[in-house]
Amino acid sequence: MSGLIDTATMIMRASSQRIDVAAINVANVSTSGFKRQLRGADAMASATAPFDAALARVRVDLAAGKLMDTGRPLDLAINGDGYFQLRAGDRLVYSRQGGFALAADGRVLTPQGYALQQVGGGDLVLDTATFKVAGDGTVLDGDRALGRITVMRAREGSDAEAIDGALFAIRDDAVEDVAAPSLRQGALEASNVLLGDEMISMMGALRGAETGARLVQVYDDLMGKAISTFGQVGR
């Protein structure tokens, strides 16, 4: 009989996770470079991992978002494979969120303060506000090359691990340069979240929670009947 409660608990926890993830996705529908998070429903389908571990695992839909023109010279979008490499303190992280700003010292920074990296390593530093970014990532001031933006990816057989929906970690031994990157200046990659999909996911999660609650009610009814029956037999 306790298996009924275990099943109900599993369903309700998975439903709660799905609602939480849908809420995160909806909140980031306008966040450039954000990748839709997936959790909960995938855990229910996992037959190889313990339920708790599968439920906690976050997967990310890596499908590319639509490129949107902004006209801002420090808005950059990757057209195709790869991630921008960013220095966050003493570690390197990766993102397709390309809304940058120029710091007082010339470094190109994300809104979080992460420094954009260049080919060969090191922060990209610009000494002018008038520049062009070529399709291969080369930054030009007229005919003068100021540096080249590095675009990286995880090697085949390796994965980029989601830190959140717009930021990723890749092991140092599993990252490689994209040989022929395609960058677009004055554009951003939109989030790949579709509100319709999130509403459907949330509705499915709510129905799952209702199913779990009904199972608990069935358990309570059965226990009540059992106690009543045993009580009558004992008289």
Side-chain angles (χ1 to χ4, degrees), residues 45-120:
S46 175
T48 58
F51 177 76
D52 287 341
L55 191 61
R57 181 171 177 263
V58 177
R59 292 181 55 249
V60 177
D61 178 2
L62 295 176
K66 182 180 179 181
L67 299 191
M68 308 177 297
D69 291 321
T70 67
R72 291 185 65 251
L74 279 168
D75 282 348
L76 304 172
I78 299 172
N79 186 17
D81 192 19
Y83 301 87
F84 296 111
Q85 187 179 61
L86 311 169
R87 181 179 61 80
D90 58 357
R91 66 172 180 159
L92 295 174
V93 294
Y94 301 85
S95 180
R96 289 176 67 92
Q97 190 174 20
F100 297 100
L102 200 61
D105 60 3
R107 289 181 301 144
V108 180
L109 305 178
T110 69
Q112 299 86 0
Y114 304 153
L116 181 63
Q117 300 297 285
Q118 60 183 329
V119 171

Side-chain angles (χ1 to χ4, degrees), residues 5 17 57 123 138 142 151 159 161 175 186 198 209 228:
I5 289 295
Q17 287 279 19
R57 181 171 177 263
D123 301 348
T138 301
V151 179
D159 293 319
E161 179 184 350
V175 69
E198 299 311 315
S228 177

Side-chain angles (χ1 to χ4, degrees), residues 150-224:
T150 187
V151 179
M152 312 293 283
R153 66 182 172 195
R155 286 197 178 97
E156 187 174 354
S158 301
D159 293 319
E161 179 184 350
I163 299 173
D164 61 33
L167 200 64
F168 298 84
I170 305 175
R171 297 193 325 271
D172 291 344
D173 61 353
V175 69
E176 65 182 6
D177 293 303
V178 174
S182 177
L183 291 175
R184 185 164 151 186
Q185 187 178 19
L188 290 172
E189 180 182 350
S191 165
N192 68 355
V193 173
L194 298 176
L195 283 177
D197 290 347
E198 299 311 315
M199 293 302 102
I200 291 171
S201 178
M202 194 170 292
M203 289 170 60
L206 290 172
R207 285 196 295 269
E210 291 170 358
T211 299
R214 283 198 296 270
L215 285 174
V216 172
Q217 184 61 53
V218 168
Y219 176 82
D220 287 342
D221 291 344
L222 289 173
M223 288 299 295

